[in-house]
Amino acid sequence: MKRKIIALCAVLTTAMGMQAQSLPVYLDSSKPVEQRIDDALQRMTLDEKIAVIHAQSKFSSAGVKRLGFKDFWTDDGPHGVRPDVLWDEWEQAGQTNDSCVAFPALTCLAATWNPQMARLYGVSLGEEALYRGKNMILGPGVNIYRTPLGGRNFEYMGEDPYLASRMVVPYVQGLQSNGVAACVKHYALNNDENYRHQVNVIVDDRTLHEIYLPAFKAAITEGKAWGIMGAYNLYQNQHNCHNAIMLNQILKGDWKFDGVVVSDWGGAHNMDEAVRNGLDMEFGTWTDGLAMGATNAYDNYYLAAAYKKAIQEGRYTTKELDDKVRRVLRLFYRTTMNGQNRVGFLCSESHYEAARRIAQEGIVLLKNDVPGGKKAKNAAPLLPMDVQKTRRVLVVGENAIKMMTVGGGSSSLKVQREILPLDGLRDRLTQLNAQLTVDFARGYVGDTIQSYNGVTVGRSLYDLRTPEELTREAVQKAREADYVVFFGGLNKSDYQDCEGHDRKDYALPYGQNELIEALVKVNPRLIYVNISGNAVEMPWKDKVAAIVQGWFIGSEAGEALADVLVGETNPSGKLPFTWSATLNDVPAHRLNAFPGVWRKGEKIIDEEYKEGLFVGYRGVDKYKTKPAFAFGHGLSYTTFKLGKAVADKKQLTADGQISFTVSVTNTGSRAGAEVVQLYISDLKSSLPRPLKELKGFQKVALQPGETRNVTITIGCEALSFYDDTKKAWTAEPGEFEALIGTASDRIASRVKFTLQ
């Protein structure tokens, strides 16, 4: 005991002595961060510098223990904090304290059209990451929805660069307010999963800068993101994890990015390009970075032992290395060394409430007609459900009982709880009406896999009945029901909404179309709830009275969907992408521009973005197609009326602003929210431009009978296009038109003005 006391006294004396002396600059929080970085960099050995720029495990990189810098921990994903895996393997670590709250997928967040929800999302996710000891979350994703076959579309924020830009900035700011770094992904042009390591994207500069880069730029220049992840694919024949144009020229040059570029796992392919072309931290899939290889072989990475040896042999100076290390140290000071000692929260009720609020605002009411097409004077739309007059509800569909937080790739989670649609709806209906019974029919069998990456799905999905038997049961029960609620759509299996694969076709899988046709034939009071991150073909759309887009909405899925179906929440979500009627209506498919073409004799696919600027609703206007549901579309249980929009001036100068004001009135009997959308049309341009482009929006909540004025202000940048001959953004003087409405196909008012 005496020896322990003497030792403790010695430690305290040493610590007090250090307090009395001035701290080293790199540890002195009163000094400017850049000065602290300079000091730390000078103290580091070559081995220490090399160690911090590559992985040491599946999700961590080394700190500098000699200098007091902690190890740095990353984790997936954009929708919740992924469960911990073993040091060298993807298998679960078997912990009991690494569950999480699953927040809605980012397509749902984008569908809220509410930046306040994005801020709430980021803050809540950051608190969960902080509690779990994660210093960087690998997200959010902002790649553009180019085709509904894209396997990772559910992880992104839709087809429009402006909408994605306005939603990603508060997400990043909210996440980083906790001292947890965002790593915005996948930069850039990541629109093809099947051959993502081999796809070389061919795209013109205008399209690149106007469509595919703005959300990334906003995340960096406005959101001040501390990290960005390079994509697997190639651009101009270089992989994007070490691409001279993408990283050195645009990101670090034009946008002045001062954070770190992280490789996607296994996305580095070449040491010289990794050294020279802007990659800062290399992470890998297996321990050799590319494929299953030697255990504990992180020294085999391109930015590891081989790079060190090349420096020692004089093939490189330490110029590039010091820039990488400087950025990593800056990341340390922003995260592990920020001195705020926050703890965070895990699975708190506030996080469940945040997940539920975001889901409620993102669910989209696509269609709500009178069942059977009746024209009776007092006939009402099918939704919300009239619970008090209902005695029997039939729920149909595998997606009513399938966990959607499990599977899909790197965004797969281990949740503390996930309320399934059947459970949430059954509980709500019987709470509201004790005489009501809720029955269930499987209807179809799609995916009976019981676990993913070590996480089980919660309940058995095995069912050996034939499709004919399943359909017969569902139809028989549907005849007796007051409502049939069909939870269908996609899931997170391979070739659906899933990392690593794209969908094979636009149709609903597992014979759902035939089942829906059979059900609506015997009961017109059918509510179809589509669970997916993508649009699907709906050949029966005109026969079904009510259609709801339910997304992948996480832990509170059953509660949020029940809220909307019974009318306790008035839906206010708007589509963040165009829901095309057929796949041929999608510009990339109309022009046979997806997927790409294999190069003769090479393992490279060239994929030319032939549609150029005309993605989504821009293509609808160009080709004059009629979508099933337009970009920005979303109905409500109340009605709204927009007045005539007015501008505060008739002319706009290059350094000025112009404001458009429109009155919005809730003309129905329920409180609700509407999204006012502002599109701009260039009436005469020297270069081809889309007919209209989203440049402003605002969500407004109104009580019945209430009127409010909504004002949206834009500047010259909203009129600009990227002039590829000048390599600069340009706004040409002339006449423009502002189009104000509630969807891209519902324009209520137009105002002309000029740019001087």
Side-chain angles (χ1 to χ4, degrees), residues 573-594:
K574 300 282 187 175
L575 284 178
F577 54 70
T578 300
W579 199 298
S580 298
T582 69
L583 192 60
N584 193 55
D585 289 339
V586 178
H589 295 275
R590 170 185 286 268
L591 300 174
N592 294 315
F594 180 91

Side-chain angles (χ1 to χ4, degrees), residues 691-709:
L691 181 65
K692 61 178 180 290
E693 297 182 282
L694 182 72
K695 295 299 179 181
F697 62 89
Q698 186 173 324
K699 197 167 195 174
V700 55
L702 298 169
Q703 294 297 316
E706 183 182 4
T707 298
R708 284 176 58 187
N709 287 334

